[in-house]
Amino acid sequence: MFRTHTCGELRITDTNKTIKISGWVQKTRNLGSMTFVDLRDRYGITQVVFNIDTDAQLCEAARALGREFVVQIEGTVNERHSKNPKMATGDIEIIATAFTVLSKSETPPFTIEDDTDGGEEIRMKYRYLDLRRTPVRKGIILRSKMAQEIRHYLSEDNFIEVETPILIKSTPEGARDFIVPSRLNAGYFYALPQSPQVFKQLLMISGFDKYFQIVKCFRDEDFRADRQPEFTQLDCEMSFVERDDVLNKFEGLTKHLFSKFVNFDYKGDFPRLTYAEAMALYGSDKPDIRFGMQFVEITDIAKNQGFKIFDEAEYIAGICAPASAKYSRKQLDALTDFVRKPQVGAKGLIYVKCNEDGTYKSSVDKFFPQEKLALWAEKFAAKPGDLLLVLSGNKTKTQKMLSELRLEMGNRLGLRNKNIYAPLWVVDFPLFEKDEETGALHAMHHPFTSPLKSDMHLLESDPESVNANAYDLIINGVEIGGGSVRIYDTQMQQQMFKHLGFTQEEADAQFGFLMEAFKYGAPPHAGIAFGFDRWAAMFNGTDSIRNVIAFPKNNSGKDIMIDAPSLVDAVQLKDLRLKVDE
Amino acid sequence: MFRTHTCGELRITDTNKTIKISGWVQKTRNLGSMTFVDLRDRYGITQVVFNIDTDAQLCEAARALGREFVVQIEGTVNERHSKNPKMATGDIEIIATAFTVLSKSETPPFTIEDDTDGGEEIRMKYRYLDLRRTPVRKGIILRSKMAQEIRHYLSEDNFIEVETPILIKSTPEGARDFIVPSRLNAGYFYALPQSPQVFKQLLMISGFDKYFQIVKCFRDEDFRADRQPEFTQLDCEMSFVERDDVLNKFEGLTKHLFSKFVNFDYKGDFPRLTYAEAMALYGSDKPDIRFGMQFVEITDIAKNQGFKIFDEAEYIAGICAPASAKYSRKQLDALTDFVRKPQVGAKGLIYVKCNEDGTYKSSVDKFFPQEKLALWAEKFAAKPGDLLLVLSGNKTKTQKMLSELRLEMGNRLGLRNKNIYAPLWVVDFPLFEKDEETGALHAMHHPFTSPLKSDMHLLESDPESVNANAYDLIINGVEIGGGSVRIYDTQMQQQMFKHLGFTQEEADAQFGFLMEAFKYGAPPHAGIAFGFDRWAAMFNGTDSIRNVIAFPKNNSGKDIMIDAPSLVDAVQLKDLRLKVDE
């Protein structure tokens, strides 16, 4: 061992002990007769003192220690004169009697400090140096501890972690697969799993009863900000359960993690909204319910009142922003600009100021006299001083726009506090979504999701109206998990495949083994999968999942540190009987 | 919930409770007025009784329940008349009041019993049914519990589990990589990792100090029996440590797992043998030391005695098989046949029977009179009744042959008891091995392994004589783990690459990022990796790692259940700009 203690553990009770510590030089300070070296490791920072009067040569030598040198220090623990209450080791210092440079360091390309001067690109290239920074290291450690806690919690509850294969078969459903050429079966390919979905269902058919896995999944997507080609899922499945059994079980896990990692004790049950309710109230299937401002529809009282835009609209609705009637012209213009951004896509924004004196000032005063606006205000349950913001048009599109506006107002009013966690379950999603161009049906969740029992009679006659027994866990507007009760019957599964446009042959070729498995006694089962990276990022208080991935790829799917992907040897391609088509 | 209890938990204290259980029909028995159904789930088997006098219709219906039907039973817990002490639930039975068939089952292709009638091939195809069998399920559950226990043990000791990437860069060193074409960077490829080696070293450079990961690794090998293209490793690394710190740490883990999973309390320290000692005593770097029969070299007393075969041999050595002098001609012939098998490759076998009466009977009596054989016996410390088995020839080859013979004798004498665990560390491996054909040097461990400090001065002048600071954990003759102290210095690493035949450009292209990382303060570090599948198989008492992998591939790397690898869509290949060369 190159040390007797870490740089984070010595305390005043260790005074006078002879110790050895090893770590990285965080900084050195020369104060004439003294040289101070702050030595850092994962566990903390310890101050080391070299005194010119005690050992001039050693003190001189210590002055040559540069930042990030790896050094072993021998010395004695001493009580500090001026203690530093901000540091765990702040009561003591080490009076050095000897040191050894274990490794030198060139000047790092950016400073290894909490606030660094390094840009994203350079920090990615030298990720191993970025990982030395406390905030980055903390994110990785938090993630590790979350995984450990989840495993402990579920194992205590008799869940079994089973590793499912990474080299599987390509399926056309869903996102694009990464494929892996087989050398021993040249011309044939494995695929990397987008999720262990079918394997966990097979495990239920095997009788494993309660399964989980923290597992890498892969998606070859056109890269978007904060998507990673490989990501980590907490994947779970249970047998002999109904929807609420799954929801209650994982609500328990979520509360446990809240209290363990973000010191947040959630009282009571998570709210449950149907997809239809979520769309009506928030225009989103992942509403941020840390704040109110639920949608209020006023189509009935605002349409056919002579205002052409409203009169032509299918849907008129708005939100009531509390205590915002004092918004200036400039602020209102900024909101109008916001909704007109192409990403939002509204044509304009109607506002009504509910003045403190009981009068109203709106952008549609010409069409709506005070008594009409008073009716709106009543419907919104607006108080004097509130501001109504109204959009209109096609219902689905307007709901989406209004959702964006609501989130923006939430930001502007400081209602999206990172230290508050507002979870909810969204349930009863549509089973299918229709491709607007082709008219083809796609599974909104995935093809193994069961319809709601109450809707099963419509599956043949009116599939689009059928709701799925599917559910999402939303926290602060972020989709953290999603799952469903599964089909466990060959006939219904085949009906699903038919609706999804599979021929019998395609269904057999892709999922024949699952259909076959259903024939030998499949239990009712249901499950859920959580985006582990996202969950860890949320608890870490960071926006990007990259902050909680040790070696992430950039937005083009490249690891610029190791330079992957890269060209491969011609021989390697030949062995695989592959040619790159220039 | 489809149940109030599992099929494994009802006891006599539950008598008279009204319960619901769900599971698979293990078997049914009709005894005239009664029908018995054994219902099975992961937790156990519960006997259900249908009585024709109580409910004739229900009893009649129950008779139609086939094996592997999934059924929900409602009923009352009743104390059994004839208890079954072999079953945890053997004191009770369920008097059924209702049942629901949740899923029917066709007759399974093999019986779901501990001893099944299904062959390997059919059980692989229907792996989800094979997993229903208790011995198979137990292996998977044992594996899961081992992983959980390892994680707990290491986490308690401040190890951090960090996920390293799966999509990395191909490197020519070692076995063949699986590669993954990149669509967004067409013509470029990721590779799947053979181990997280460089990433864990970078994590040490980052200051993570104590890392572990239970992680999938991949090797595109020509398939051999019991190799899997994807396998699982327990991968570990520590900073500021020397060899013995690593050995002691993981010896602790090993002992913990012994006592937790195989009820084996190992007293004292694991023996440590150098590679040279292991080869001299056992002819193997993974000796099975559950039994003795160490090699005894008799070149000095057996050579130049007029027996041509010995006189031409570089090395003459044997083993002393206890109490085997009574071996018949037939038994001795069988041993001779054994060593002559092409896999062993000896030309013949010399034996000396140490008779109970103090005389000797050997296959070389013509050349070695009694007093000479007595000298041999003395050297072997043979007792009357023992049997000496001697081979000769080239030293290295003969040691290997003798090792095979020793293991065979261990088997024949019943000395390789599965319930005994004999671990040891083998240390000080040669740093390089020489390719006999090309004369090129290969890293025996991997190119990041440090030479022994005492041998470093020879690295430039006589690399072949240099020993590595590397170590293997061997249990019962199986290599369970291996690791090394690492190089953490750019110059020495470059020297290694040079010996391994890398040009400067190749070294930079492949490992430039690691060389670069060494420049910014690399701590001394060392690590180890364990073959988790093998370890779990050993503790499961099974020879094949397939028994502890939920969905293994066969010896051709195929998953015959899902039919992977498979052909992929032409569009998919086009998107990757790839062509299969027919």
Side-chain angles (χ1 to χ4, degrees), chain A residues 321-344:
Chain A
S324 304
K326 58 185 181 301
Y327 260 36
S328 66
R329 160 62 49 196
K330 200 174 151 194
Q331 284 174 303
L332 289 167
D333 284 350
L335 284 182
T336 306
D337 290 347
F338 174 82
V339 298
R340 280 183 173 154
K341 284 196 308 182
Q343 303 96 299
V344 183

PDB file of all heavy atoms in Angstrom, chain A residues 321-344:
ATOM      1  N   ALA A 321     -51.783  32.604 -15.600  1.00  0.00           N
ATOM      2  CA  ALA A 321     -50.482  32.790 -14.945  1.00  0.00           C
ATOM      3  C   ALA A 321     -50.684  33.671 -13.725  1.00  0.00           C
ATOM      4  O   ALA A 321     -51.109  34.822 -13.853  1.00  0.00           O
ATOM      5  CB  ALA A 321     -49.496  33.419 -15.919  1.00  0.00           C
ATOM      6  N   PRO A 322     -50.392  33.127 -12.559  1.00  0.00           N
ATOM      7  CA  PRO A 322     -50.700  33.880 -11.342  1.00  0.00           C
ATOM      8  C   PRO A 322     -49.853  35.146 -11.219  1.00  0.00           C
ATOM      9  O   PRO A 322     -48.672  35.144 -11.585  1.00  0.00           O
ATOM     10  CB  PRO A 322     -50.379  32.889 -10.217  1.00  0.00           C
ATOM     11  CG  PRO A 322     -49.439  31.905 -10.813  1.00  0.00           C
ATOM     12  CD  PRO A 322     -49.782  31.821 -12.259  1.00  0.00           C
ATOM     13  N   ALA A 323     -50.511  36.234 -10.765  1.00  0.00           N
ATOM     14  CA  ALA A 323     -49.835  37.494 -10.426  1.00  0.00           C
ATOM     15  C   ALA A 323     -48.946  38.008 -11.552  1.00  0.00           C
ATOM     16  O   ALA A 323     -47.860  38.532 -11.305  1.00  0.00           O
ATOM     17  CB  ALA A 323     -49.019  37.302  -9.146  1.00  0.00           C
ATOM     18  N   SER A 324     -49.418  37.848 -12.775  1.00  0.00           N
ATOM     19  CA  SER A 324     -48.605  38.282 -13.904  1.00  0.00           C
ATOM     20  C   SER A 324     -49.280  39.369 -14.738  1.00  0.00           C
ATOM     21  O   SER A 324     -48.821  39.724 -15.829  1.00  0.00           O
ATOM     22  CB  SER A 324     -48.268  37.095 -14.807  1.00  0.00           C
ATOM     23  OG  SER A 324     -47.635  36.083 -14.064  1.00  0.00           O
ATOM     24  N   ALA A 325     -50.373  39.931 -14.203  1.00  0.00           N
ATOM     25  CA  ALA A 325     -51.084  40.982 -14.935  1.00  0.00           C
ATOM     26  C   ALA A 325     -50.214  42.222 -15.108  1.00  0.00           C
ATOM     27  O   ALA A 325     -50.442  43.038 -15.991  1.00  0.00           O
ATOM     28  CB  ALA A 325     -52.381  41.339 -14.206  1.00  0.00           C
ATOM     29  N   LYS A 326     -49.215  42.320 -14.267  1.00  0.00           N
ATOM     30  CA  LYS A 326     -48.309  43.479 -14.352  1.00  0.00           C
ATOM     31  C   LYS A 326     -47.299  43.335 -15.490  1.00  0.00           C
ATOM     32  O   LYS A 326     -46.421  44.191 -15.657  1.00  0.00           O
ATOM     33  CB  LYS A 326     -47.595  43.676 -13.010  1.00  0.00           C
ATOM     34  CG  LYS A 326     -46.804  42.463 -12.559  1.00  0.00           C
ATOM     35  CD  LYS A 326     -46.211  42.671 -11.166  1.00  0.00           C
ATOM     36  CE  LYS A 326     -45.395  41.446 -10.736  1.00  0.00           C
ATOM     37  NZ  LYS A 326     -46.178  40.189 -10.699  1.00  0.00           N
ATOM     38  N   TYR A 327     -47.379  42.253 -16.259  1.00  0.00           N
ATOM     39  CA  TYR A 327     -46.449  42.057 -17.377  1.00  0.00           C
ATOM     40  C   TYR A 327     -46.463  43.284 -18.293  1.00  0.00           C
ATOM     41  O   TYR A 327     -47.532  43.797 -18.651  1.00  0.00           O
ATOM     42  CB  TYR A 327     -46.824  40.801 -18.187  1.00  0.00           C
ATOM     43  CG  TYR A 327     -45.967  39.585 -17.836  1.00  0.00           C
ATOM     44  CD1 TYR A 327     -45.552  39.363 -16.528  1.00  0.00           C
ATOM     45  CD2 TYR A 327     -45.570  38.666 -18.818  1.00  0.00           C
ATOM     46  CE1 TYR A 327     -44.773  38.259 -16.205  1.00  0.00           C
ATOM     47  CE2 TYR A 327     -44.790  37.570 -18.503  1.00  0.00           C
ATOM     48  CZ  TYR A 327     -44.390  37.366 -17.190  1.00  0.00           C
ATOM     49  OH  TYR A 327     -43.606  36.284 -16.873  1.00  0.00           O
ATOM     50  N   SER A 328     -45.283  43.711 -18.685  1.00  0.00           N
ATOM     51  CA  SER A 328     -45.162  44.879 -19.562  1.00  0.00           C
ATOM     52  C   SER A 328     -45.435  44.474 -21.007  1.00  0.00           C
ATOM     53  O   SER A 328     -45.449  43.275 -21.338  1.00  0.00           O
ATOM     54  CB  SER A 328     -43.740  45.429 -19.451  1.00  0.00           C
ATOM     55  OG  SER A 328     -42.839  44.463 -19.973  1.00  0.00           O
ATOM     56  N   ARG A 329     -45.619  45.452 -21.842  1.00  0.00           N
ATOM     57  CA  ARG A 329     -45.759  45.231 -23.289  1.00  0.00           C
ATOM     58  C   ARG A 329     -44.583  44.390 -23.788  1.00  0.00           C
ATOM     59  O   ARG A 329     -44.750  43.423 -24.523  1.00  0.00           O
ATOM     60  CB  ARG A 329     -45.800  46.607 -23.982  1.00  0.00           C
ATOM     61  CG  ARG A 329     -45.484  46.667 -25.472  1.00  0.00           C
ATOM     62  CD  ARG A 329     -46.439  45.879 -26.360  1.00  0.00           C
ATOM     63  NE  ARG A 329     -47.859  46.134 -26.079  1.00  0.00           N
ATOM     64  CZ  ARG A 329     -48.854  45.361 -26.505  1.00  0.00           C
ATOM     65  NH1 ARG A 329     -48.590  44.267 -27.220  1.00  0.00           N
ATOM     66  NH2 ARG A 329     -50.104  45.665 -26.220  1.00  0.00           N
ATOM     67  N   LYS A 330     -43.383  44.734 -23.320  1.00  0.00           N
ATOM     68  CA  LYS A 330     -42.176  44.042 -23.764  1.00  0.00           C
ATOM     69  C   LYS A 330     -42.219  42.561 -23.358  1.00  0.00           C
ATOM     70  O   LYS A 330     -41.871  41.666 -24.139  1.00  0.00           O
ATOM     71  CB  LYS A 330     -40.959  44.724 -23.121  1.00  0.00           C
ATOM     72  CG  LYS A 330     -39.656  44.444 -23.827  1.00  0.00           C
ATOM     73  CD  LYS A 330     -38.519  45.256 -23.228  1.00  0.00           C
ATOM     74  CE  LYS A 330     -37.207  44.512 -23.388  1.00  0.00           C
ATOM     75  NZ  LYS A 330     -36.147  45.075 -22.544  1.00  0.00           N
ATOM     76  N   GLN A 331     -42.660  42.339 -22.151  1.00  0.00           N
ATOM     77  CA  GLN A 331     -42.735  40.952 -21.674  1.00  0.00           C
ATOM     78  C   GLN A 331     -43.772  40.153 -22.471  1.00  0.00           C
ATOM     79  O   GLN A 331     -43.575  38.992 -22.807  1.00  0.00           O
ATOM     80  CB  GLN A 331     -43.078  40.919 -20.176  1.00  0.00           C
ATOM     81  CG  GLN A 331     -41.895  41.272 -19.272  1.00  0.00           C
ATOM     82  CD  GLN A 331     -42.298  41.373 -17.812  1.00  0.00           C
ATOM     83  OE1 GLN A 331     -43.194  42.167 -17.470  1.00  0.00           O
ATOM     84  NE2 GLN A 331     -41.671  40.578 -16.967  1.00  0.00           N
ATOM     85  N   LEU A 332     -44.905  40.825 -22.758  1.00  0.00           N
ATOM     86  CA  LEU A 332     -45.961  40.144 -23.529  1.00  0.00           C
ATOM     87  C   LEU A 332     -45.487  39.871 -24.954  1.00  0.00           C
ATOM     88  O   LEU A 332     -45.750  38.802 -25.517  1.00  0.00           O
ATOM     89  CB  LEU A 332     -47.238  40.982 -23.521  1.00  0.00           C
ATOM     90  CG  LEU A 332     -47.945  41.019 -22.153  1.00  0.00           C
ATOM     91  CD1 LEU A 332     -49.020  42.111 -22.130  1.00  0.00           C
ATOM     92  CD2 LEU A 332     -48.565  39.661 -21.823  1.00  0.00           C
ATOM     93  N   ASP A 333     -44.755  40.828 -25.516  1.00  0.00           N
ATOM     94  CA  ASP A 333     -44.204  40.619 -26.862  1.00  0.00           C
ATOM     95  C   ASP A 333     -43.233  39.439 -26.866  1.00  0.00           C
ATOM     96  O   ASP A 333     -43.219  38.637 -27.811  1.00  0.00           O
ATOM     97  CB  ASP A 333     -43.473  41.883 -27.342  1.00  0.00           C
ATOM     98  CG  ASP A 333     -44.456  42.968 -27.763  1.00  0.00           C
ATOM     99  OD1 ASP A 333     -45.678  42.653 -27.849  1.00  0.00           O
ATOM    100  OD2 ASP A 333     -44.031  44.114 -27.973  1.00  0.00           O
ATOM    101  N   ALA A 334     -42.460  39.340 -25.804  1.00  0.00           N
ATOM    102  CA  ALA A 334     -41.502  38.226 -25.731  1.00  0.00           C
ATOM    103  C   ALA A 334     -42.248  36.892 -25.707  1.00  0.00           C
ATOM    104  O   ALA A 334     -41.824  35.919 -26.347  1.00  0.00           O
ATOM    105  CB  ALA A 334     -40.626  38.369 -24.499  1.00  0.00           C
ATOM    106  N   LEU A 335     -43.372  36.856 -24.996  1.00  0.00           N
ATOM    107  CA  LEU A 335     -44.171  35.621 -24.969  1.00  0.00           C
ATOM    108  C   LEU A 335     -44.742  35.308 -26.342  1.00  0.00           C
ATOM    109  O   LEU A 335     -44.778  34.149 -26.776  1.00  0.00           O
ATOM    110  CB  LEU A 335     -45.313  35.746 -23.956  1.00  0.00           C
ATOM    111  CG  LEU A 335     -44.928  35.629 -22.482  1.00  0.00           C
ATOM    112  CD1 LEU A 335     -46.178  35.720 -21.611  1.00  0.00           C
ATOM    113  CD2 LEU A 335     -44.193  34.312 -22.209  1.00  0.00           C
ATOM    114  N   THR A 336     -45.205  36.361 -27.020  1.00  0.00           N
ATOM    115  CA  THR A 336     -45.732  36.161 -28.376  1.00  0.00           C
ATOM    116  C   THR A 336     -44.632  35.627 -29.291  1.00  0.00           C
ATOM    117  O   THR A 336     -44.847  34.691 -30.068  1.00  0.00           O
ATOM    118  CB  THR A 336     -46.302  37.485 -28.919  1.00  0.00           C
ATOM    119  OG1 THR A 336     -47.255  37.983 -27.977  1.00  0.00           O
ATOM    120  CG2 THR A 336     -46.988  37.287 -30.265  1.00  0.00           C
ATOM    121  N   ASP A 337     -43.442  36.221 -29.181  1.00  0.00           N
ATOM    122  CA  ASP A 337     -42.310  35.716 -29.970  1.00  0.00           C
ATOM    123  C   ASP A 337     -42.039  34.254 -29.643  1.00  0.00           C
ATOM    124  O   ASP A 337     -41.735  33.456 -30.529  1.00  0.00           O
ATOM    125  CB  ASP A 337     -41.045  36.542 -29.694  1.00  0.00           C
ATOM    126  CG  ASP A 337     -41.154  37.942 -30.287  1.00  0.00           C
ATOM    127  OD1 ASP A 337     -42.078  38.171 -31.111  1.00  0.00           O
ATOM    128  OD2 ASP A 337     -40.344  38.808 -29.910  1.00  0.00           O
ATOM    129  N   PHE A 338     -42.149  33.938 -28.361  1.00  0.00           N
ATOM    130  CA  PHE A 338     -41.889  32.553 -27.946  1.00  0.00           C
ATOM    131  C   PHE A 338     -42.849  31.584 -28.639  1.00  0.00           C
ATOM    132  O   PHE A 338     -42.427  30.580 -29.220  1.00  0.00           O
ATOM    133  CB  PHE A 338     -42.002  32.406 -26.420  1.00  0.00           C
ATOM    134  CG  PHE A 338     -41.894  30.977 -25.957  1.00  0.00           C
ATOM    135  CD1 PHE A 338     -40.660  30.378 -25.798  1.00  0.00           C
ATOM    136  CD2 PHE A 338     -43.034  30.200 -25.733  1.00  0.00           C
ATOM    137  CE1 PHE A 338     -40.552  29.044 -25.408  1.00  0.00           C
ATOM    138  CE2 PHE A 338     -42.943  28.874 -25.342  1.00  0.00           C
ATOM    139  CZ  PHE A 338     -41.689  28.296 -25.187  1.00  0.00           C
ATOM    140  N   VAL A 339     -44.138  31.886 -28.605  1.00  0.00           N
ATOM    141  CA  VAL A 339     -45.089  30.931 -29.205  1.00  0.00           C
ATOM    142  C   VAL A 339     -44.993  30.903 -30.726  1.00  0.00           C
ATOM    143  O   VAL A 339     -45.412  29.942 -31.366  1.00  0.00           O
ATOM    144  CB  VAL A 339     -46.562  31.187 -28.780  1.00  0.00           C
ATOM    145  CG1 VAL A 339     -46.715  31.024 -27.274  1.00  0.00           C
ATOM    146  CG2 VAL A 339     -47.083  32.530 -29.250  1.00  0.00           C
ATOM    147  N   ARG A 340     -44.408  31.971 -31.285  1.00  0.00           N
ATOM    148  CA  ARG A 340     -44.280  32.016 -32.755  1.00  0.00           C
ATOM    149  C   ARG A 340     -43.018  31.313 -33.257  1.00  0.00           C
ATOM    150  O   ARG A 340     -42.845  31.163 -34.476  1.00  0.00           O
ATOM    151  CB  ARG A 340     -44.259  33.472 -33.226  1.00  0.00           C
ATOM    152  CG  ARG A 340     -45.640  34.074 -33.304  1.00  0.00           C
ATOM    153  CD  ARG A 340     -45.547  35.481 -33.846  1.00  0.00           C
ATOM    154  NE  ARG A 340     -46.853  36.046 -34.089  1.00  0.00           N
ATOM    155  CZ  ARG A 340     -47.117  37.351 -34.086  1.00  0.00           C
ATOM    156  NH1 ARG A 340     -46.130  38.216 -33.850  1.00  0.00           N
ATOM    157  NH2 ARG A 340     -48.334  37.790 -34.321  1.00  0.00           N
ATOM    158  N   LYS A 341     -42.137  30.937 -32.331  1.00  0.00           N
ATOM    159  CA  LYS A 341     -40.919  30.226 -32.758  1.00  0.00           C
ATOM    160  C   LYS A 341     -41.324  28.974 -33.536  1.00  0.00           C
ATOM    161  O   LYS A 341     -42.331  28.332 -33.216  1.00  0.00           O
ATOM    162  CB  LYS A 341     -40.088  29.765 -31.537  1.00  0.00           C
ATOM    163  CG  LYS A 341     -39.314  30.870 -30.858  1.00  0.00           C
ATOM    164  CD  LYS A 341     -38.226  30.303 -29.944  1.00  0.00           C
ATOM    165  CE  LYS A 341     -38.769  29.280 -28.972  1.00  0.00           C
ATOM    166  NZ  LYS A 341     -37.718  28.776 -28.058  1.00  0.00           N
ATOM    167  N   PRO A 342     -40.560  28.609 -34.542  1.00  0.00           N
ATOM    168  CA  PRO A 342     -40.955  27.438 -35.340  1.00  0.00           C
ATOM    169  C   PRO A 342     -41.133  26.180 -34.479  1.00  0.00           C
ATOM    170  O   PRO A 342     -41.993  25.352 -34.758  1.00  0.00           O
ATOM    171  CB  PRO A 342     -39.794  27.261 -36.322  1.00  0.00           C
ATOM    172  CG  PRO A 342     -38.958  28.486 -36.239  1.00  0.00           C
ATOM    173  CD  PRO A 342     -39.301  29.236 -35.003  1.00  0.00           C
ATOM    174  N   GLN A 343     -40.337  26.042 -33.424  1.00  0.00           N
ATOM    175  CA  GLN A 343     -40.464  24.856 -32.572  1.00  0.00           C
ATOM    176  C   GLN A 343     -41.817  24.815 -31.865  1.00  0.00           C
ATOM    177  O   GLN A 343     -42.266  23.763 -31.431  1.00  0.00           O
ATOM    178  CB  GLN A 343     -39.377  24.809 -31.494  1.00  0.00           C
ATOM    179  CG  GLN A 343     -37.962  24.841 -32.006  1.00  0.00           C
ATOM    180  CD  GLN A 343     -37.393  26.256 -31.998  1.00  0.00           C
ATOM    181  OE1 GLN A 343     -37.935  27.147 -32.675  1.00  0.00           O
ATOM    182  NE2 GLN A 343     -36.322  26.465 -31.259  1.00  0.00           N
ATOM    183  N   VAL A 344     -42.450  25.980 -31.687  1.00  0.00           N
ATOM    184  CA  VAL A 344     -43.766  25.999 -31.057  1.00  0.00           C
ATOM    185  C   VAL A 344     -44.829  26.112 -32.155  1.00  0.00           C
ATOM    186  O   VAL A 344     -45.730  25.278 -32.249  1.00  0.00           O
ATOM    187  CB  VAL A 344     -43.886  27.149 -30.025  1.00  0.00           C
ATOM    188  CG1 VAL A 344     -45.247  27.117 -29.329  1.00  0.00           C
ATOM    189  CG2 VAL A 344     -42.749  27.057 -29.005  1.00  0.00           C
TER     190      VAL A 344
END
